Amino acid sequence: MSEHGTEECGGYNAMSKAYKKNPSIELYVKLRREDPDAEIEVSVIGGIEQLFYLEPELGKYGFDPALVASAMDADPNAISELSLQIMEKMIEVKVLAKSGETHLARRGLVVPDKLINWLVACMLDALSWTGELYIPRDLIVLIRERLGGSNPEYEQASRAHEMRSDAISIGGQLLAQGITPSFRMLAKAFGVAPSTVKRWFPNGEFMQEVARRSAWFDKDGKLRPTKEIFGRALHKK
């Protein structure tokens, strides 16, 4: 079997044909589990007929069909340019919405999600059937934005957890020097609102955590040696 899911004599191999006939994740996972080393060509979206059909729709929203055709051939420059154009149109809509513009979709100013999704899928599938499995960063940013952006909930929660820990350390350092920390002090240090810092301690445990962490520092606010810190903790137990 040659590369990219084809037979040496030409044409797609049996697994690629099976998937293309029924491109479901259930079948794909089944095929991959049955033969983890098999090459399955997965492109099922796009093509010249689809491009001809959607040419009026593409033109309506300012996309050059020739550029889309090049992206369908996995031209990295075309993929980058098309990805940038899509993001520019998404940005334009955000700006208009913030300025108070209304009925944007009805006025044809919003590129439909279904068209954006189709273009993204075409670009990804092009990378599969051509074997050019290099994804331009512009397409990565576009896909990430479609999946929730650069600040999804898990990232927010993780950063909040990290900042909470840092707040406890700073508070402990201040307390060790005889300064009682406040939400306002810490908010200024982190560049956030005091209410944000308060939300990191929903059960009112801020001073308790700070008092415990203050043992890590001496009266000048300098971090004690690790052995001394953990020695104290073990001694208390």
Side-chain angles (χ1 to χ4, degrees), residues 9 13-14 32 34 49 76 92 144 146 170 186 192 203 210-211 214 217 220 228:
C9 59
N13 60 31
R32 293 295 295 157
E34 288 177 352
E49 292 300 327
E92 288 173 6
R144 186 174 62 203
R146 298 294 293 171
I170 294 174
L186 295 172
V192 298
N203 300 315
V210 165
S214 67
F217 304 92
D220 296 318
E228 184 177 341

Side-chain angles (χ1 to χ4, degrees), residues 79-197:
I79 289 175
S80 288
E81 178 60 26
L82 183 55
S83 298
L84 288 170
Q85 288 186 15
I86 293 171
M87 287 188 283
E88 285 170 345
K89 294 180 186 301
M90 292 166 63
I91 293 168
E92 288 173 6
V93 170
K94 286 183 180 180
V95 172
L96 288 172
K98 285 183 178 180
S99 68
E101 294 281 350
T102 59
H103 308 298
L104 299 177
R106 189 186 307 169
R107 291 159 57 190
L109 300 176
V110 179
V111 181
D113 285 342
K114 61 183 179 181
L115 181 56
I116 293 177
N117 292 342
W118 181 77
L119 289 169
V120 170
C122 284
M123 289 187 278
L124 290 175
D125 273 22
L127 300 177
S128 175
W129 77 264
T130 60
E132 298 292 335
L133 297 179
Y134 158 74
I135 303 181
R137 286 180 173 82
D138 301 312
L139 179 55
I140 291 174
V141 174
L142 171 59
I143 293 172
R144 186 174 62 203
E145 184 65 23
R146 298 294 293 171
L147 293 176
S150 59
N151 192 28
E153 287 187 31
Y154 282 122
E155 286 293 317
Q156 294 177 39
S158 176
R159 278 195 288 271
H161 177 78
E162 182 180 357
M163 293 176 78
R164 178 184 185 277
S165 179
D166 290 343
I168 293 171
S169 292
I170 294 174
Q173 188 177 30
L174 290 170
L175 190 62
Q177 298 174 80
I179 303 170
T180 302
S182 67
F183 291 144
R184 189 173 297 280
M185 285 182 191
L186 295 172
K188 186 175 181 180
F190 287 103
V192 298
S195 58
T196 299
V197 180

Side-chain angles (χ1 to χ4, degrees), residues 20-36:
K20 287 174 179 292
K21 185 177 180 180
N22 175 26
S24 66
I25 59 173
E26 291 83 0
L27 178 59
Y28 181 78
V29 171
K30 179 176 181 293
L31 294 172
R32 293 295 295 157
R33 292 301 188 191
E34 288 177 352
D35 189 349

